[in-house]
Protein backbone atom coordinates (compact mmCIF):
# COMPACT_ATOMS: atom_id res chain seq x y z
CA UNK A 1 0.00 0.00 0.00
CA UNK A 2 1.26 3.48 -0.83
CA UNK A 3 1.49 5.92 2.07
CA UNK A 4 1.76 9.68 1.73
CA UNK A 5 4.73 10.87 3.76
CA UNK A 6 5.35 14.44 4.93
CA UNK A 7 9.00 15.46 4.40
CA UNK A 8 10.74 16.75 7.49
CA UNK A 9 10.28 20.48 8.07
CA UNK A 10 7.32 20.87 5.67
CA UNK A 11 4.06 22.16 7.21
CA UNK A 12 1.21 19.69 6.99
CA UNK A 13 -1.00 22.17 5.12
CA UNK A 14 1.58 22.51 2.37
CA UNK A 15 1.63 18.78 1.75
CA UNK A 16 -1.64 19.23 -0.12
CA UNK A 17 0.33 21.19 -2.68
CA UNK A 18 3.08 18.59 -3.10
CA UNK A 19 3.12 15.58 -5.40
CA UNK A 20 2.58 12.08 -3.93
CA UNK A 21 5.68 10.89 -2.07
CA UNK A 22 6.07 7.11 -1.69
CA UNK A 23 7.76 5.88 1.48
CA UNK A 24 11.19 4.57 0.58
CA UNK A 25 11.39 6.70 -2.56
CA UNK A 26 14.84 7.78 -3.66
CA UNK A 27 16.38 10.65 -1.63
CA UNK A 28 16.75 12.98 -4.63
CA UNK A 29 12.97 13.11 -5.15
CA UNK A 30 12.40 13.81 -1.46
CA UNK A 31 14.95 16.62 -1.51
CA UNK A 32 13.25 18.14 -4.55
CA UNK A 33 9.88 18.00 -2.80
CA UNK A 34 11.34 19.58 0.33
CA UNK A 35 12.94 22.31 -1.78
CA UNK A 36 9.67 23.07 -3.56
CA UNK A 37 7.81 23.21 -0.26
CA UNK A 38 10.43 25.46 1.29
CA UNK A 39 10.22 27.83 -1.68
CA UNK A 40 6.43 27.91 -1.41
CA UNK A 41 6.63 28.55 2.34
CA UNK A 42 8.94 31.49 1.70
CA UNK A 43 6.58 32.81 -0.94
CA UNK A 44 3.63 32.69 1.44
CA UNK A 45 5.64 34.42 4.16
CA UNK A 46 6.74 37.22 1.82
CA UNK A 47 3.46 39.02 1.18
CA UNK A 48 4.81 41.42 -1.44
CA UNK A 49 6.27 38.56 -3.45
CA UNK A 50 3.18 36.42 -2.98
CA UNK A 51 0.92 39.22 -4.22
CA UNK A 52 2.81 39.33 -7.49
CA UNK A 53 1.45 35.91 -8.34
CA UNK A 54 -2.08 36.21 -7.01
CA UNK A 55 -4.53 39.01 -6.28
CA UNK A 56 -4.33 40.33 -2.73
CA UNK A 57 -6.65 42.65 -0.88
CA UNK A 58 -4.38 45.54 -0.01
CA UNK A 59 -6.68 47.62 2.18
CA UNK A 60 -4.16 50.42 2.57
CA UNK A 61 -3.48 50.70 -1.17
CA UNK A 62 -3.39 54.47 -1.82
CA UNK A 63 -5.60 55.91 -4.51
CA UNK A 64 -3.66 57.54 -7.34
CA UNK A 65 -5.84 60.63 -7.68
CA UNK A 66 -3.84 61.90 -10.67
CA UNK A 67 -4.37 58.66 -12.61
CA UNK A 68 -8.08 58.66 -11.74
CA UNK A 69 -8.45 62.25 -12.92
CA UNK A 70 -6.74 61.47 -16.22
CA UNK A 71 -8.94 58.43 -16.78
CA UNK A 72 -12.09 60.44 -16.12
CA UNK A 73 -11.02 63.35 -18.32
CA UNK A 74 -9.85 61.20 -21.22
CA UNK A 75 -12.58 58.55 -21.21
CA UNK A 76 -15.73 60.28 -19.98
CA UNK A 77 -17.32 63.01 -22.08
CA UNK A 78 -19.75 65.77 -21.20
CA UNK A 79 -20.02 64.83 -17.52
CA UNK A 80 -18.27 67.58 -15.60
CA UNK A 81 -20.45 67.01 -12.51
CA UNK A 82 -19.81 63.27 -12.34
CA UNK A 83 -16.08 63.75 -12.91
CA UNK A 84 -15.74 66.37 -10.19
CA UNK A 85 -17.89 64.65 -7.57
CA UNK A 86 -16.49 61.15 -8.01
CA UNK A 87 -12.90 62.38 -7.98
CA UNK A 88 -13.40 64.36 -4.77
CA UNK A 89 -15.54 61.69 -3.09
CA UNK A 90 -13.12 58.83 -3.77
CA UNK A 91 -10.02 60.84 -2.93
CA UNK A 92 -11.46 62.06 0.36
CA UNK A 93 -12.74 58.62 1.30
CA UNK A 94 -9.52 56.77 0.53
CA UNK A 95 -7.40 59.38 2.33
CA UNK A 96 -9.50 58.97 5.47
CA UNK A 97 -7.89 56.27 7.62
CA UNK A 98 -10.99 55.96 9.77
CA UNK A 99 -14.19 56.62 7.77
CA UNK A 100 -17.42 56.62 9.77
CA UNK A 101 -19.40 54.73 7.13
CA UNK A 102 -18.95 53.12 3.72
CA UNK A 103 -18.87 55.41 0.70
CA UNK A 104 -22.22 55.17 -1.10
CA UNK A 105 -22.75 56.72 -4.54
CA UNK A 106 -25.96 56.74 -6.59
CA UNK A 107 -25.47 57.47 -10.31
CA UNK A 108 -28.47 58.62 -12.34
CA UNK A 109 -29.13 59.44 -15.97
CA UNK A 110 -30.34 58.07 -19.27
CA UNK A 111 -28.73 55.09 -20.98
CA UNK A 112 -25.50 55.77 -22.82
CA UNK A 113 -24.40 58.73 -20.70
CA UNK A 114 -21.48 56.90 -19.04
CA UNK A 115 -22.72 55.41 -15.74
CA UNK A 116 -21.45 51.90 -16.42
CA UNK A 117 -18.26 53.25 -17.93
CA UNK A 118 -17.45 55.38 -14.90
CA UNK A 119 -18.10 52.47 -12.51
CA UNK A 120 -15.60 50.45 -14.55
CA UNK A 121 -13.03 53.27 -14.31
CA UNK A 122 -13.57 53.52 -10.54
CA UNK A 123 -13.18 49.75 -10.10
CA UNK A 124 -9.92 49.71 -12.08
CA UNK A 125 -8.47 52.54 -10.01
CA UNK A 126 -9.36 50.82 -6.73
CA UNK A 127 -8.41 47.25 -7.70
CA UNK A 128 -6.06 46.70 -10.68
CA UNK A 129 -8.18 43.88 -12.16
CA UNK A 130 -11.24 46.10 -12.22
CA UNK A 131 -14.51 44.28 -12.79
CA UNK A 132 -12.56 41.00 -12.99
CA UNK A 133 -11.22 41.47 -9.47
CA UNK A 134 -12.26 39.11 -6.69
CA UNK A 135 -12.97 42.21 -4.63
CA UNK A 136 -15.33 43.95 -7.06
CA UNK A 137 -18.87 42.58 -7.22
CA UNK A 138 -21.47 43.45 -9.85
CA UNK A 139 -25.19 42.78 -9.32
CA UNK A 140 -27.73 42.92 -12.16
CA UNK A 141 -31.38 42.71 -10.97
CA UNK A 142 -32.71 40.90 -14.03
CA UNK A 143 -30.03 38.24 -13.51
CA UNK A 144 -29.58 38.04 -9.74
CA UNK A 145 -33.02 39.13 -8.43
CA UNK A 146 -35.52 38.28 -11.19
CA UNK A 147 -38.61 37.15 -9.22
CA UNK A 148 -40.76 39.47 -7.14
CA UNK A 149 -42.10 36.68 -4.90
CA UNK A 150 -38.56 35.83 -3.74
CA UNK A 151 -37.65 39.23 -2.27
CA UNK A 152 -37.11 37.85 1.24
CA UNK A 153 -34.79 35.16 -0.11
CA UNK A 154 -32.85 37.75 -2.11
CA UNK A 155 -32.47 39.93 0.98
CA UNK A 156 -30.98 37.04 2.96
CA UNK A 157 -28.65 36.04 0.13
CA UNK A 158 -27.51 39.62 -0.39
CA UNK A 159 -26.66 40.08 3.29
CA UNK A 160 -24.68 36.84 3.39
CA UNK A 161 -22.82 37.68 0.17
CA UNK A 162 -21.81 41.15 1.31
CA UNK A 163 -20.89 40.02 4.82
CA UNK A 164 -18.70 37.22 3.47
CA UNK A 165 -16.90 39.37 0.94
CA UNK A 166 -16.27 42.30 3.27
CA UNK A 167 -14.94 39.83 5.85
CA UNK A 168 -12.46 38.67 3.19
CA UNK A 169 -11.61 42.19 1.97
CA UNK A 170 -12.66 45.31 3.87
CA UNK A 171 -12.18 47.51 0.80
CA UNK A 172 -14.59 45.52 -1.38
CA UNK A 173 -16.59 47.35 -4.05
CA UNK A 174 -20.25 46.50 -4.75
CA UNK A 175 -21.92 47.78 -7.93
CA UNK A 176 -25.69 47.50 -8.38
CA UNK A 177 -26.64 48.08 -12.02
CA UNK A 178 -30.16 48.80 -13.35
CA UNK A 179 -31.52 49.88 -9.98
CA UNK A 180 -34.68 51.01 -11.76
CA UNK A 181 -35.37 47.30 -12.46
CA UNK A 182 -34.77 46.15 -8.89
CA UNK A 183 -37.88 45.27 -6.89
CA UNK A 184 -38.43 47.82 -4.09
CA UNK A 185 -37.38 46.47 -0.71
CA UNK A 186 -34.51 44.26 -1.88
CA UNK A 187 -31.86 46.94 -1.41
CA UNK A 188 -33.07 47.80 2.10
CA UNK A 189 -31.50 44.52 3.23
CA UNK A 190 -28.07 46.18 3.13
CA UNK A 191 -29.13 49.25 5.14
CA UNK A 192 -27.31 48.12 8.34
CA UNK A 193 -24.07 47.82 6.34
CA UNK A 194 -24.29 51.40 5.08
CA UNK A 195 -25.09 52.98 8.44
CA UNK A 196 -22.76 54.60 10.99
CA UNK A 197 -22.05 51.41 12.92
CA UNK A 198 -18.52 50.53 13.93
CA UNK A 199 -19.28 46.81 13.67
CA UNK A 200 -22.23 44.73 12.47
CA UNK A 201 -22.04 41.18 13.84
CA UNK A 202 -18.31 41.66 14.37
CA UNK A 203 -17.61 42.96 10.84
CA UNK A 204 -16.68 46.54 9.90
CA UNK A 205 -18.08 47.79 6.60
CA UNK A 206 -16.65 51.29 6.85
CA UNK A 207 -13.99 50.85 4.14
CA UNK A 208 -16.31 49.29 1.55
CA UNK A 209 -17.76 51.20 -1.41
CA UNK A 210 -21.30 50.81 -2.78
CA UNK A 211 -22.30 52.19 -6.20
CA UNK A 212 -25.88 52.25 -7.52
CA UNK A 213 -26.60 52.83 -11.23
CA UNK A 214 -30.05 53.84 -12.38
CA UNK A 215 -31.99 55.41 -15.25
CA UNK A 216 -34.47 56.70 -12.66
CA UNK A 217 -34.38 60.46 -12.49
CA UNK A 218 -33.08 60.75 -16.04
CA UNK A 219 -36.14 62.76 -17.08
CA UNK A 220 -35.57 65.24 -14.24
CA UNK A 221 -31.92 65.67 -15.19
CA UNK A 222 -32.77 66.13 -18.86
CA UNK A 223 -35.45 68.72 -18.10
CA UNK A 224 -33.10 70.72 -15.87
CA UNK A 225 -30.31 70.56 -18.47
CA UNK A 226 -32.65 71.61 -21.28
CA UNK A 227 -34.09 74.47 -19.20
CA UNK A 228 -30.55 75.71 -18.52
CA UNK A 229 -29.73 75.58 -22.25
CA UNK A 230 -32.88 77.50 -23.16
CA UNK A 231 -32.01 80.10 -20.53
CA UNK A 232 -28.63 80.61 -22.18
CA UNK A 233 -26.71 78.96 -19.34
CA UNK A 234 -23.54 77.05 -20.18
CA UNK A 235 -23.65 73.32 -19.57
CA UNK A 236 -20.48 73.51 -17.46
CA UNK A 237 -22.14 76.11 -15.18
CA UNK A 238 -24.73 73.59 -13.95
CA UNK A 239 -23.83 72.68 -10.38
CA UNK A 240 -24.58 69.65 -8.26
CA UNK A 241 -26.77 71.69 -5.91
CA UNK A 242 -29.00 72.52 -8.88
CA UNK A 243 -29.91 68.86 -9.33
CA UNK A 244 -29.08 66.76 -6.26
CA UNK A 245 -32.06 67.71 -4.07
CA UNK A 246 -34.71 67.30 -6.76
CA UNK A 247 -33.03 64.10 -7.92
CA UNK A 248 -33.04 62.40 -4.50
CA UNK A 249 -36.68 63.34 -3.93
CA UNK A 250 -37.68 62.20 -7.40
CA UNK A 251 -35.96 58.83 -7.03
CA UNK A 252 -37.46 58.30 -3.56
CA UNK A 253 -40.99 58.85 -4.95
CA UNK A 254 -40.44 56.93 -8.20
CA UNK A 255 -42.23 53.57 -8.13
CA UNK A 256 -39.98 52.37 -10.94
CA UNK A 257 -36.86 52.88 -8.83
CA UNK A 258 -35.26 50.24 -6.63
CA UNK A 259 -34.82 53.07 -4.12
CA UNK A 260 -38.57 53.82 -3.98
CA UNK A 261 -39.37 54.81 -0.40
CA UNK A 262 -36.08 53.23 0.61
CA UNK A 263 -34.62 53.54 4.07
CA UNK A 264 -31.29 54.29 2.40
CA UNK A 265 -32.64 57.66 1.31
CA UNK A 266 -34.85 58.21 4.35
CA UNK A 267 -31.83 57.68 6.63
CA UNK A 268 -29.54 59.80 4.42
CA UNK A 269 -27.18 56.86 3.88
CA UNK A 270 -26.45 57.72 0.24
CA UNK A 271 -23.56 60.17 0.27
CA UNK A 272 -23.95 61.56 -3.24
CA UNK A 273 -26.67 61.53 -5.90
CA UNK A 274 -24.67 62.07 -9.08
CA UNK A 275 -26.49 63.25 -12.21
CA UNK A 276 -25.31 62.27 -15.69
CA UNK A 277 -26.36 64.92 -18.20
CA UNK A 278 -27.72 64.04 -21.66
CA UNK A 279 -25.02 64.06 -24.32
CA UNK A 280 -24.84 66.56 -27.17
CA UNK A 281 -23.74 66.01 -30.76
CA UNK A 282 -20.14 67.04 -29.98
CA UNK A 283 -19.95 64.48 -27.17
CA UNK A 284 -21.15 61.70 -29.47
CA UNK A 285 -18.31 62.55 -31.86
CA UNK A 286 -15.87 62.33 -28.92
CA UNK A 287 -17.22 58.84 -28.17
CA UNK A 288 -16.69 57.77 -31.79
CA UNK A 289 -13.09 58.97 -31.75
CA UNK A 290 -12.42 57.24 -28.43
CA UNK A 291 -13.82 53.97 -29.77
CA UNK A 292 -11.61 54.24 -32.85
CA UNK A 293 -8.55 54.83 -30.67
CA UNK A 294 -9.39 51.81 -28.52
CA UNK A 295 -9.46 49.66 -31.66
CA UNK A 296 -6.18 51.06 -32.95
CA UNK A 297 -8.00 52.54 -35.94
CA UNK A 298 -6.79 55.84 -37.45
CA UNK A 299 -9.23 58.66 -36.73
CA UNK A 300 -11.30 59.24 -39.86
CA UNK A 301 -13.22 62.49 -39.29
CA UNK A 302 -15.54 61.79 -42.21
CA UNK A 303 -16.59 58.52 -40.59
CA UNK A 304 -16.83 60.21 -37.16
CA UNK A 305 -19.30 62.69 -38.63
CA UNK A 306 -21.20 59.98 -40.50
CA UNK A 307 -21.69 57.89 -37.36
CA UNK A 308 -22.74 60.90 -35.29
CA UNK A 309 -25.16 62.07 -37.98
CA UNK A 310 -26.94 58.72 -37.92
CA UNK A 311 -27.80 59.08 -34.24
CA UNK A 312 -31.20 60.49 -33.30
CA UNK A 313 -31.54 63.64 -31.21
CA UNK A 314 -34.22 65.44 -29.21
CA UNK A 315 -36.23 67.62 -28.56
CA UNK A 316 -37.96 67.34 -31.89
CA UNK A 317 -37.36 70.97 -32.87
CA UNK A 318 -33.96 71.75 -31.34
CA UNK A 319 -32.36 68.28 -31.69
CA UNK A 320 -29.75 68.95 -29.02
CA UNK A 321 -29.34 65.70 -27.09
CA UNK A 322 -28.71 62.14 -28.25
CA UNK A 323 -31.58 59.93 -27.11
CA UNK A 324 -29.23 56.94 -26.74
CA UNK A 325 -26.14 58.81 -25.62
CA UNK A 326 -23.13 56.86 -26.87
CA UNK A 327 -24.83 53.49 -26.38
CA UNK A 328 -24.88 52.43 -30.05
CA UNK A 329 -21.56 53.95 -31.17
CA UNK A 330 -19.71 50.62 -31.02
CA UNK A 331 -22.35 48.79 -33.06
CA UNK A 332 -22.44 51.53 -35.70
CA UNK A 333 -18.65 51.43 -36.07
CA UNK A 334 -18.88 47.64 -36.46
CA UNK A 335 -21.28 48.24 -39.34
CA UNK A 336 -18.71 50.36 -41.13
Amino acid sequence: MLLRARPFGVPAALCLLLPQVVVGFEPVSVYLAVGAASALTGLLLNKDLYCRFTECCLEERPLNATALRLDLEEKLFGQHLATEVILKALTGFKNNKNPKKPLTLSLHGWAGTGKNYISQIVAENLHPKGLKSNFVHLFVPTLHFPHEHQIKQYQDQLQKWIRGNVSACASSVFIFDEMDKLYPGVIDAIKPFLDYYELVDGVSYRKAIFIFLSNAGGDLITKATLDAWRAGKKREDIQLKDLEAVLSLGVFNNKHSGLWRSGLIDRNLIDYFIPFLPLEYRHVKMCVRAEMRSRGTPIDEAMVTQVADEMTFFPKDEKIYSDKGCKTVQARLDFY
Side-chain angles (χ1 to χ4, degrees), residues 259-273:
L259 293 170
W260 180 55
R261 296 185 179 178
S262 170
L264 273 62
I265 297 179
D266 197 33
R267 288 271 298 162
N268 296 312
L269 298 179
I270 296 179
D271 299 301
Y272 298 95
F273 287 90

Side-chain angles (χ1 to χ4, degrees), residues 3-307:
L3 298 177
R4 187 166 186 172
R6 174 159 62 97
F8 179 75
V10 179
L14 291 179
C15 283
L16 296 175
L17 303 175
L18 297 177
Q20 291 284 338
V21 179
V22 180
V23 175
F25 211 59
E26 59 267 18
V28 174
S29 298
V30 175
Y31 291 146
L32 289 175
V34 173
S38 299
L40 183 56
T41 303
L43 181 63
L44 293 173
L45 292 176
N46 188 329
K47 186 176 181 180
D48 291 338
L49 183 60
Y50 174 72
C51 292
R52 293 182 185 179
F53 295 93
T54 187
E55 186 182 22
C56 293
C57 175
L58 303 177
E59 297 175 15
E60 303 305 322
R61 179 197 303 275
L63 175 69
N64 187 332
T66 302
L68 175 59
R69 178 188 291 277
L70 286 174
D71 276 348
L72 293 173
E73 291 177 350
E74 293 177 0
K75 300 176 182 178
L76 191 68
F77 308 117
Q79 303 299 350
H80 68 284
L81 287 177
T83 297
E84 178 184 1
V85 175
I86 287 178
L87 181 62
K88 289 182 177 179
L90 280 175
T91 303
F93 181 74
K94 292 298 288 185
N95 287 341
N96 187 351
K97 300 300 181 182
N98 187 30
K100 300 301 180 184
K101 67 179 292 298
L103 178 62
T104 309
L105 309 174
S106 192
L107 282 49
H108 297 268
W110 279 4
T113 52
K115 301 185 302 296
N116 287 92
Y117 200 27
I118 209 168
S119 65
Q120 177 182 330
I121 292 172
V122 168
E124 290 171 351
N125 278 270
L126 293 172
H127 297 284
K129 289 190 175 182
L131 295 179
K132 295 180 181 179
S133 170
N134 293 323
F135 313 123
V136 177
H137 313 280
L138 174 65
F139 298 95
V140 181
T142 51
L143 176 63
H144 297 106
F145 317 111
H147 305 297
E148 187 172 10
H149 64 278
Q150 295 183 8
I151 288 180
K152 182 61 173 66
Q153 179 181 338
Y154 296 150
Q155 290 176 327
D156 293 340
Q157 291 174 344
L158 192 53
Q159 286 186 343
K160 291 177 182 176
W161 180 261
I162 292 177
R163 183 183 298 114
N165 282 286
V166 173
S167 298
C169 180
S171 56
S172 292
V173 178
F174 301 93
I175 303 171
F176 293 82
D177 195 8
E178 299 181 342
M179 283 291 292
D180 47 299
K181 297 179 182 177
L182 181 68
Y183 292 112
V186 173
I187 203 63
D188 278 342
I190 71 172
K191 184 164 70 71
F193 306 146
L194 304 185
D195 218 324
Y196 292 82
Y197 299 123
E198 184 174 355
L199 297 172
V200 178
D201 291 336
V203 179
S204 174
Y205 297 86
R206 292 182 168 187
K207 292 188 177 182
I209 295 176
F210 294 80
I211 304 175
F212 305 127
L213 315 180
S214 178
N215 291 346
D219 53 343
L220 298 173
I221 297 168
T222 298
K223 182 181 183 304
T225 308
L226 183 58
D227 288 346
W229 180 84
R230 286 173 173 165
K233 188 175 183 179
K234 291 183 179 180
R235 178 190 186 92
E236 290 73 18
D237 290 337
I238 299 175
Q239 300 180 35
L240 184 63
K241 65 181 181 180
D242 299 330
L243 295 169
E244 192 174 32
V246 67
L247 182 58
S248 63
L249 184 61
V251 171
F252 181 78
N253 292 319
N254 188 340
K255 291 184 178 181
H256 300 291
S257 168
L259 293 170
W260 180 55
R261 296 185 179 178
S262 170
L264 273 62
I265 297 179
D266 197 33
R267 288 271 298 162
N268 296 312
L269 298 179
I270 296 179
D271 299 301
Y272 298 95
F273 287 90
I274 304 176
F276 280 66
L277 310 183
L279 299 183
E280 301 172 9
Y281 178 82
R282 58 192 171 108
H283 302 130
V284 174
K285 295 183 78 170
M286 292 177 183
C287 292
V288 179
R289 295 187 191 100
E291 179 64 22
M292 286 181 168
R293 281 193 293 270
S294 71
R295 299 182 181 199
T297 304
I299 304 300
D300 182 339
E301 287 298 333
M303 184 176 292
V304 170
T305 301
Q306 187 170 1
V307 171

